[in-house]
Amino acid sequence: MDSRGQIRHIGGGQFSRNQIAMNDQSQKNRRLYRMTERAKTQDETRARIIAATMQLHDEKGVTATSFVDVAKRAGIGAATVYRHFPNMGSLVTACGTHVWEEMAPPTPDQAEELFSGLDRREDRLKRLVDEVYDFYARGSLRLGKAYADREHFPELDQFLLAVETGIQALVRKAVTPAVTSQTTLELVYALTDFAVWTSMQRVSGDEAARRHHLARLIGCALTEPPHP
Amino acid sequence: MDSRGQIRHIGGGQFSRNQIAMNDQSQKNRRLYRMTERAKTQDETRARIIAATMQLHDEKGVTATSFVDVAKRAGIGAATVYRHFPNMGSLVTACGTHVWEEMAPPTPDQAEELFSGLDRREDRLKRLVDEVYDFYARGSLRLGKAYADREHFPELDQFLLAVETGIQALVRKAVTPAVTSQTTLELVYALTDFAVWTSMQRVSGDEAARRHHLARLIGCALTEPPHP
DNA sequence: CATTCCACGGAATATTTATTCCGTCAATAA
DNA sequence: TTATTGACGGAATAAATATTCCGTGGAATG
């Protein structure tokens, strides 16, 4: 990405004029062009675009944000936005990368150590709920926007799928090694997802109380009953 | 509404030219105009507009649907759509009325009889979950669309608020007369909302099993614990 | 320093959507 | 039957967006 001193081509590199010329067989006398100083301002422009876009996404939602909007907000020409991002999808993806870093979702590899030393299921569940709900609280606004427009942008869907994968990995670790059926596991997945968090936020009392409630509910879910 | 033989004015009656003239003091020699035959085709047009709109809402969502879209789909001129509905909000409201009738949400007044004769809490909860989940299943698609664009249309918000009010009334009846705190009640509200239903739908097994799971969770929620 | 390169953005072009005007024609009144 | 009324929709107008072209100026090269 930040390949200072390399041959640069923005927008993923598929559409630089230079790049296109390279593919052309008759590019005999073409001066090699490395970017050093320029790369900086180029990166700045890119960053400004992404910042403006995230701002607009936060305000109006992803679907309601247009290229012109972004250009205005970033204080640059619309054509420049297009050169950096050929379509909204790629812009959304770029924002996704930033957002992912900012909200730092739980990842499967964290799961192992997160529950180390916690033997009692109760403790493990508490840890699980704390971890997941801290995350939801961090990402609240943007997760909400992403879920709202998920069906309109495959990139949002991918993002959320990744988020859900990480959380479900935590759930599995928290619940292991107890013997639980797949269905029960899925029930806990449901209870720990963002939609339920959102619903839970409407319950009065402080955050700690809400987390306690959820942990208790998960405990109930894990108590498998006989089904008729 | 369907006042055949009355003086008609479409679009809620605020902007009929005739109506405007009526307000004018100098409407001395104005022929009285009652509509009989015409009202029929007028109602048909209105119905076609609403049907087209609901179709588009189902396909692309509320926010993504434009007047031009609606006109095309209904096979009429855009101007006609405007005469019937001066803005998207009024069209959304009109659709809401139809949708409300189609999905027939639980209403507070049904609550009383719904639980009559059911003394055991377990039975009451089962009845509650059945009633609410039958409703969610009926309205699934449109409720999802409404929730997705809720923030963009006050009319959708009103609609959903009304839906939620009805369901919460059921919840209260189902839980009464047991002594439960406000917080516990809110917890059950959360568990019975549409978002949780959506999450629950991802749990494998048949629908009956899912309902059983939810009823059990609600039962757990009602078992108030001491909180530290 | 002369030459080459290319990111930037103003401006042109093409669509799509929003909104209004107004003539037509069938329905309605007298 | 004749004059009147108003719903309808084609067409005009306005405005926002999408998308591309191309000239410019400063960076990069040798």
Side-chain angles (χ1 to χ4, degrees):
Chain A
M1 274 281 175
D2 197 11
S3 51
R4 205 61 46 81
Q6 300 290 318
I7 297 178
R8 289 183 59 95
H9 40 87
I10 60 183
Q14 303 92 336
F15 43 85
S16 160
R17 291 171 189 181
N18 199 343
Q19 191 69 10
I20 290 169
M22 297 292 268
N23 292 338
D24 189 339
Q25 294 288 357
S26 64
Q27 50 98 21
K28 7 192 168 176
N29 47 4
R30 187 140 182 73
R31 180 189 282 185
L32 191 60
Y33 204 78
R34 303 168 187 287
M35 306 222 289
T36 53
E37 276 294 305
R38 244 182 182 183
K40 236 178 297 174
T41 59
Q42 202 172 279
D43 286 346
E44 276 174 26
T45 299
R46 181 187 163 90
R48 199 174 313 139
I49 291 171
I50 292 175
T53 306
M54 293 199 295
Q55 224 174 303
L56 289 166
H57 284 179
D58 290 350
E59 293 171 16
K60 331 178 3 175
V62 178
T63 302
T65 299
S66 71
F67 275 91
V68 178
D69 278 337
V70 172
K72 277 181 191 162
R73 181 65 65 96
I76 63 180
T80 302
V81 179
Y82 274 94
R83 190 168 322 95
H84 280 263
F85 303 97
N87 50 57
M88 263 300 165
S90 60
L91 222 187
V92 170
T93 299
C95 289
T97 303
H98 273 242
V99 169
W100 184 280
E101 285 167 10
E102 280 187 32
M103 60 171 69
T107 58
D109 55 280
Q110 298 168 9
E112 188 63 53
E113 57 171 338
L114 188 62
F115 299 104
S116 67
L118 298 181
D119 293 331
R120 298 193 319 168
R121 163 174 286 176
E122 193 183 327
D123 294 332
R124 301 167 73 84
L125 290 186
K126 177 167 169 35
R127 176 67 56 88
L128 171 70
V129 172
D130 278 336
E131 190 68 13
V132 174
Y133 272 33
D134 278 346
F135 164 61
Y136 288 150
R138 280 200 300 281
S140 167
L141 173 62
R142 284 166 181 176
L143 285 171
K145 300 289 183 185
Y147 272 102
D149 286 337
R150 181 179 198 167
E151 290 174 12
H152 296 292
F153 283 94
E155 295 80 6
L156 291 180
D157 194 63
Q158 282 182 243
F159 180 91
L160 293 174
L161 242 29
V163 167
E164 288 161 1
T165 298
I167 288 169
Q168 290 173 9
L170 291 202
V171 168
R172 255 174 275 122
K173 277 292 174 191
V175 156
T176 306
V179 183
T180 53
S181 68
Q182 173 66 15
T183 297
T184 301
L185 190 58
E186 289 166 354
L187 197 49
V188 183
Y189 288 166
L191 286 171
T192 52
D193 75 9
F194 182 69
V196 174
W197 176 82
T198 304
S199 296
M200 288 288 293
Q201 288 309 106
R202 284 194 288 273
V203 175
S204 58
D206 61 5
E207 178 63 17
R210 281 191 289 270
R211 294 183 182 198
H212 187 74
H213 293 145
L214 183 72
R216 210 158 58 79
L217 286 175
I218 296 176
C220 290
L222 290 174
T223 307
E224 281 212 59
H227 27 155
Chain B
M1 274 284 177
D2 196 12
S3 51
R4 208 58 49 78
Q6 299 291 317
I7 296 176
R8 290 185 58 96
H9 40 87
I10 59 183
Q14 303 93 334
F15 43 87
S16 158
R17 293 171 189 181
N18 198 345
Q19 191 70 9
I20 291 168
M22 298 291 268
N23 292 339
D24 189 339
Q25 294 288 358
S26 63
Q27 50 99 20
K28 6 189 169 179
N29 47 7
R30 187 140 184 72
R31 179 190 284 187
L32 192 60
Y33 204 79
R34 300 169 187 289
M35 305 220 292
T36 53
E37 277 294 305
R38 244 182 182 184
K40 235 178 297 175
T41 57
Q42 201 172 280
D43 286 346
E44 277 174 25
T45 299
R46 181 188 163 90
R48 199 174 314 141
I49 292 171
I50 292 175
T53 305
M54 292 199 296
Q55 224 174 301
L56 290 166
H57 284 179
D58 289 350
E59 293 171 16
K60 330 176 10 176
V62 178
T63 302
T65 299
S66 71
F67 274 91
V68 177
D69 279 336
V70 172
K72 278 181 191 161
R73 180 64 64 97
I76 63 180
T80 302
V81 180
Y82 274 94
R83 191 171 319 96
H84 280 263
F85 303 97
N87 50 60
M88 262 301 166
S90 59
L91 222 187
V92 170
T93 299
C95 288
T97 303
H98 273 243
V99 169
W100 184 278
E101 286 166 9
E102 280 188 31
M103 61 172 69
T107 57
D109 55 280
Q110 298 169 9
E112 188 64 52
E113 57 170 339
L114 188 63
F115 300 104
S116 69
L118 298 181
D119 293 331
R120 298 193 319 169
R121 163 173 288 175
E122 193 183 327
D123 294 332
R124 302 168 73 82
L125 290 186
K126 176 168 170 36
R127 177 66 59 85
L128 171 69
V129 172
D130 277 335
E131 190 69 13
V132 174
Y133 272 33
D134 277 345
F135 164 61
Y136 288 150
R138 280 200 301 281
S140 166
L141 174 62
R142 284 165 180 175
L143 285 171
K145 299 289 184 184
Y147 272 101
D149 285 338
R150 183 177 197 168
E151 292 174 9
H152 295 293
F153 283 93
E155 296 82 7
L156 291 180
D157 193 63
Q158 282 182 241
F159 180 91
L160 293 174
L161 241 31
V163 167
E164 289 161 1
T165 299
I167 287 169
Q168 290 173 8
L170 291 203
V171 168
R172 255 174 275 122
K173 277 292 174 189
V175 156
T176 306
V179 183
T180 52
S181 68
Q182 173 66 15
T183 297
T184 301
L185 190 58
E186 290 167 354
L187 197 49
V188 183
Y189 289 166
L191 286 171
T192 51
D193 74 10
F194 182 68
V196 173
W197 176 82
T198 303
S199 297
M200 289 288 293
Q201 289 308 106
R202 284 194 286 272
V203 175
S204 59
D206 62 4
E207 179 63 17
R210 281 191 288 271
R211 294 184 183 199
H212 187 74
H213 293 146
L214 183 71
R216 208 159 59 77
L217 285 175
I218 297 175
C220 290
L222 291 174
T223 307
E224 282 209 60
H227 26 157

